[in-house]
């Protein structure tokens, strides 16, 4: 699944276009590798590192969503690795 689509589907980004901007800025990492393209593939088991406010958030992809569903459904698609991160906040590109 494309990175921008994943971020939008799991509600880590408020819109797909903002997810594209976030991915293309080069501030998201997949398995420690810096990503500069929105179409980078995301797979089950990948570790995503992305900024969220003043926190750098690390999540593990548990399964790929089929749609942008409600927040409780979206949160089942990943597990938070970063301690103390609030799962209900969204990533806003600057």
């Amino acid at each position: 699944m494309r990175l921008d689509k994943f971020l939008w589907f799991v509600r880590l980004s408020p819109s797909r276009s903002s997810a594209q901007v976030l991915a293309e800025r080069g501030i998201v990492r997949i398995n420690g590798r810096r990503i500069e393209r929105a179409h980078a593939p995301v797979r089950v088991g990948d570790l995503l590192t992305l900024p969220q406010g003043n926190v750098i958030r690390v999540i593990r992809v548990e399964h790929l969503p089929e749609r942008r569903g409600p927040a409780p459904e979206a949160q089942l698609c990943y597990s938070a690795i970063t301690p103390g991160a609030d799962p209900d906040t969204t990533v806003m590109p600057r």
Side-chain angles (χ1 to χ4, degrees):
M1 172 176 277
R2 289 172 56 112
L3 175 60
D4 60 339
K5 201 170 178 183
F6 178 81
L7 293 174
W8 181 57
F9 274 15
V10 298
R11 298 182 172 270
L12 292 173
S13 181
S15 68
R16 186 155 176 205
S17 61
S18 66
Q20 288 174 326
V21 169
L22 184 67
E24 292 169 354
R25 287 182 59 210
I27 56 177
V28 176
R29 294 180 184 270
I30 298 178
N31 297 324
R33 189 175 48 113
R34 185 173 172 225
I35 302 300
E36 293 180 338
R37 53 198 173 106
H39 63 276
V42 174
R43 296 178 178 91
V44 173
D46 283 351
L47 289 178
L48 301 180
T49 307
L50 56 143
Q52 193 164 41
N54 294 334
V55 176
I56 301 298
R57 186 157 184 203
V58 181
I59 62 169
R60 175 177 286 119
V61 178
E62 298 296 336
H63 68 84
L64 299 176
E66 294 181 14
R67 66 186 183 115
R68 181 177 164 93
E73 181 182 312
Q75 291 171 358
L76 295 174
C77 295
Y78 64 90
S79 57
I81 305 297
T82 309
D86 182 8
D88 294 327
T89 57
T90 58
V91 174
M92 301 298 289
R94 297 178 193 201

